[in-house]
């Protein structure tokens, strides 16, 4: 798939088939995150790839919007150090966002769907994943083949009108 097609086809997928995602494809998706830009090239992230169904079920309970993780073929947890100050918190969030989008586009390119989730219960998420206390499980990304329809460019996306969003020179 061309990059522009992947951008137009990417959507949040929260219902998956039972088809597993290969280790090679999971590693390729993770590599896209690993290659993402970060402030001062700090690369604050670690990625934990989870494929065990019992572990995915447990992870689905760390946030009210994480239910889709239980039925995913896999999930990637984004782990960052506990921020030392507000500036570090903001830059780490931005950096992880870039890694997330890179992974979503890489997955879309492979015909694999993704659905992101926050993490509310840090203690539980850390325990499930074996993450040390001085790190945060920032986000989860459910990964699997879409159950409803394949990932193809969306011709009429449900978005605010382009002309209302994009401004040239001034607001």
């Amino acid at each position: 798939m061309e990059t522009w097609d992947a951008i137009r086809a990417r959507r949040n997928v929260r219902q998956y088939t039972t088809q597993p995602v290969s280790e090679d494809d999971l590693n390729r998706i993770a590599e896209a995150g690993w290659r993402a830009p970060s402030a001062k090239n700090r690369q604050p992230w670690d990625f934990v790839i989870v494929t065990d169904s019992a572990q995915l079920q447990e992870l689905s309970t760390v946030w009210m919007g994480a239910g889709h993780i239980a039925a995913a073929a896999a999930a990637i947890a984004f782990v960052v150090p506990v921020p030392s100050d507000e500036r570090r918190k903001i830059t780490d969030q931005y950096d992880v966002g870039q890694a997330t989008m890179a992974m979503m586009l890489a997955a879309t390119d492979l015909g694999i769907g993704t659905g992101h989730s926050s993490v509310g219960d840090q203690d539980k998420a850390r325990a499930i994943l074996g993450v040390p206390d001085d790190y945060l499980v920032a986000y989860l990304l459910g990964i699997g083949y879409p159950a409803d329809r394949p990932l193809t460019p969306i011709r009429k996306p449900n978005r605010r009108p382009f002309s209302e969003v994009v401004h040239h020179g001034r607001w």
Side-chain angles (χ1 to χ4, degrees):
M1 185 179 292
E2 295 292 323
T3 304
W4 184 239
D5 288 339
I7 290 168
R8 293 183 310 132
R10 194 225 53 87
R11 60 184 164 83
N12 287 327
V13 174
R14 292 194 168 87
Q15 294 179 338
Y16 309 98
T17 68
T18 58
Q19 180 182 351
V21 175
S22 74
E23 184 176 347
D24 285 346
D25 285 347
L26 290 172
N27 284 333
R28 182 174 177 147
I29 293 165
E31 183 177 343
W34 174 74
R35 290 178 176 272
S38 65
K40 296 185 180 181
N41 199 29
R42 283 188 40 251
Q43 305 164 55
W45 48 63
D46 283 273
F47 309 126
V48 180
I49 299 173
V50 179
T51 57
D52 177 75
S53 59
Q55 201 175 9
L56 291 166
Q57 178 63 48
E58 283 186 87
L59 281 173
S60 75
T61 67
V62 300
W63 180 254
M64 63 182 157
H68 65 284
I69 300 295
I76 297 179
F78 296 78
V79 179
V80 295
V82 171
S84 55
D85 55 37
E86 189 65 18
R87 179 183 166 96
R88 183 60 51 93
K89 177 182 175 183
I90 291 168
T91 58
D92 286 357
Q93 286 176 340
Y94 190 85
D95 290 350
V96 170
Q98 292 187 100
T100 302
M101 190 63 177
M103 287 186 192
M104 291 174 139
L105 290 174
T108 301
D109 183 57
L110 297 167
I112 298 168
T114 57
H116 60 281
S117 172
S118 294
V119 175
D121 190 337
Q122 283 295 318
D123 291 336
K124 188 173 189 178
R126 283 188 194 107
I128 294 166
L129 298 169
V131 171
D133 288 343
D134 55 341
Y135 285 81
L136 297 172
V137 181
Y139 304 101
L140 300 172
L141 186 64
I143 299 171
Y145 292 94
D148 55 353
R149 65 188 196 279
L151 296 169
T152 58
I154 300 167
R155 298 199 188 289
K156 294 183 179 181
N158 183 12
R159 313 295 294 175
R160 289 175 43 211
F162 186 79
S163 62
E164 290 179 16
V165 175
V166 177
H167 308 272
H168 293 271
R170 294 179 56 97
W171 183 268

